[in-house]
């Protein structure tokens, strides 16, 4: 029992730290907005950075779901990403970062849940067809 708890905790922590590192690698270094010739601002993030972040988060979710850790697959990447995001955005004097963080959290949880359930379902379907095929052949 203690070994199982230790493995669950370690898996959760590794995924959470990986998700925080993912934020730092893709978005954490980019802090400046782009000012265009007509004066409007965009950024600080580019589309490719956000896509990279989401692809890695998806892979983290899929790995955890493949290990049959559905709660960890959803919660750990969300916690790690939110920790890094809050550290990164909390210097905003307007306080609007909290609204953005709340929306990102909702997206992380919803997206993580969908990905984890799909990955888990695909894994179960493959295991079922591999097991069913072996039985019918034998």
């Amino acid at each position: 029992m203690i070994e199982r708890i230790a493995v669950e905790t370690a898996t959760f922590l590794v995924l959470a730290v990986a998700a925080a590192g993912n934020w730092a690698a893709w978005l954490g270094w980019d802090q400046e907005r782009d000012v265009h010739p007509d004066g409007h601002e965009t950024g600080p993030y580019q589309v490719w950075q956000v896509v990279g972040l989401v692809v890695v988060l998806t892979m983290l979710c899929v790995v955890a779901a493949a290990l049959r850790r559905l709660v960890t697959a959803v919660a750990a990447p969300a916690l790690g990403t939110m920790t890094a995001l809050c550290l990164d955005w909390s210097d905003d004097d307007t306080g609007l970062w909290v609204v953005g963080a709340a929306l990102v959290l909702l997206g992380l949880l919803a997206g993580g849940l969908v990905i984890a359930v799909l990955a888990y379902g695909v894994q179960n379907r493959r295991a079922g067809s591999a097991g069913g095929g072996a039985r019918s052949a034998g």
Side-chain angles (χ1 to χ4, degrees), residues 1-119:
M1 176 71 166
I2 292 176
E3 183 179 322
R4 180 173 180 243
I5 292 171
V7 169
E8 293 283 339
T9 302
T11 303
F12 189 94
L13 290 174
V14 165
L15 281 171
V17 168
N22 183 42
W23 176 275
W26 289 105
L27 304 180
W29 55 270
D30 194 355
Q31 302 296 318
E32 295 188 25
R33 295 189 172 276
D34 299 321
V35 181
H36 298 276
D38 64 359
H40 82 277
E41 294 181 4
T42 58
Y45 312 124
Q46 302 297 320
V47 172
W48 64 268
Q49 291 172 282
V50 177
V51 169
L53 176 86
V54 171
V55 167
V56 174
L57 283 173
T58 299
M59 292 182 338
L60 292 174
C61 267
V62 168
V63 166
L67 294 172
R68 299 188 180 276
R69 311 264 192 278
L70 290 182
V71 172
T72 296
V74 176
L79 176 67
T81 301
M82 288 305 297
T83 300
L85 177 149
C86 289
L87 290 171
D88 192 18
W89 289 1
S90 63
D91 62 350
D92 174 24
D93 295 333
T94 67
L96 289 176
W97 72 270
V98 176
V99 176
L103 293 172
V104 169
L105 178 61
L106 290 174
L108 286 168
L109 293 174
L113 183 61
V114 168
I115 291 164
V117 167
L118 287 174

